[in-house]
Amino acid sequence: MAAQHSSFEITQSLDEDPLLDAPLLPSQSLHSDIRPSFHPVPTVCLALLLLLVNVAFVALAFVAGILCSLPAEEVKCKPYIQPLDLQTVILTAKVIMWLLLFILERYIQYHHIKVKSRGYLSLYRATRHVKRLPLLVHSTGNAALLLILSTQLSFVLERSLYIYFILGVLGLELLVTLLCISVYTVKIGKFNKAMPRPDIIEEEKMQAYPGPVNSEIGFRDGTSLDEVVEKQGDVIEYLQRHNAILSKRLLARACQEASA
């Protein structure tokens, strides 16, 4: 008799619960919140444009450095660069090139942080080093040029020899920058073309089908413990952020439905 009375009270309390009378949210309206739309990474065009600027700068530096170093052509070059000399012009352009690379690196880093917040953790890790390497190489090149200038003040050698040293540093910088930006643009181009869903959703899709699955969340052979912890930390951070945003949207949607 007591059991029947308690079950009656539970049923009565459920029937009187005002939350159960609220209209259910349509699944179609929440589909965009649960399955976010794809946003491409808009950094490929700017990276290629800056690469073309770098190629043009190095090409002009080589032409001017080789031609203006010749005794017969040195007099013809002076009217175009006065009151500066050839080394000053090249080094000033090199500083401008470094500033452009610094701005590009900050711009790319900003968009990759947004990519990471959207759940594309594998892309963020795959391009973490290649997008920073051009700026690092050019910064190292600046140190090499400073060493060349300091050597020029201490050792009296033929002036054209130091021009060739400077051009050699610029050529090495261009080769590394060309390789890094090419690899980066290929990765980002494939990502934008594939338009994948966030990594955690792809993991659920892979685990839903039988067969060998190399999950990025679990431990695999050949994977270091630090890498596994880093991947799990990125996934947890993304899920916490996604759940917080989704909870706010659900609450806002419920308030709109209730007021309507």
Side-chain angles (χ1 to χ4, degrees), residues 105-175:
E105 195 273 339
R106 291 291 88 195
Y107 176 78
I108 291 177
Q109 181 66 19
Y110 167 75
H111 282 283
H112 277 256
I113 291 176
K114 294 178 65 175
V115 165
K116 182 181 179 181
S117 66
R118 296 191 186 107
Y120 300 101
L121 309 176
S122 58
L123 178 70
Y124 180 83
R125 289 192 298 267
T127 58
R128 178 170 46 189
H129 301 296
V130 69
K131 63 186 175 60
R132 296 177 180 176
L133 194 56
L135 181 63
L136 178 61
V137 170
H138 277 257
S139 299
T140 306
N142 291 344
L145 294 179
L146 182 61
L147 180 61
I148 293 174
L149 292 178
S150 62
T151 305
Q152 185 177 2
L153 297 176
S154 302
F155 300 95
V156 181
L157 298 176
E158 188 177 353
R159 188 174 181 82
S160 60
L161 184 61
Y162 290 103
I163 293 292
Y164 296 150
F165 287 157
I166 293 174
L167 295 180
V169 172
L170 297 181
L172 290 176
E173 289 179 350
L174 178 61
L175 290 177

Side-chain angles (χ1 to χ4, degrees), residues 9 13 24 32-33 36 47 58 73 77 106 134 154 164 168 176 178 188 192 203 211 214-216 218 232 250:
E9 291 180 351
S13 62
L24 295 178
S32 59
D33 296 334
V58 175
E73 301 293 335
C77 294
R106 291 291 88 195
S154 302
Y164 296 150
V176 178
L178 179 62
I188 299 301
N192 292 338
E203 288 285 342
N214 293 327
S215 174
E216 292 289 337
Q232 290 178 342
L250 286 172

Side-chain angles (χ1 to χ4, degrees), residues 49-64:
L49 178 61
L50 190 57
L51 180 61
L52 293 178
V53 173
N54 194 4
V55 171
F57 159 65
V58 175
L60 291 175
F62 267 81
V63 172

Side-chain angles (χ1 to χ4, degrees), residues 1 25 30 38 84-85 116 196 201 222:
M1 183 67 181
L25 299 179
L30 297 178
F38 177 77
L84 305 175
D85 60 357
K116 182 181 179 181
I201 300 178

Side-chain angles (χ1 to χ4, degrees), residues 184-235:
Y184 174 79
T185 53
V186 169
K187 288 180 178 291
I188 299 301
K190 290 182 178 179
F191 173 79
N192 292 338
K193 185 178 181 180
M195 294 187 297
R197 293 181 296 177
D199 292 354
I200 187 65
I201 300 178
E202 293 295 333
E203 288 285 342
E204 294 176 355
K205 179 181 177 181
M206 293 171 63
Q207 293 176 1
Y209 296 94
V213 177
N214 293 327
S215 174
E216 292 289 337
I217 299 177
F219 185 82
R220 297 181 299 178
D221 295 336
T223 305
S224 64
L225 182 59
D226 294 337
E227 184 179 356
V228 173
V229 173
E230 181 183 4
K231 291 177 182 179
Q232 290 178 342
D234 291 340
V235 171

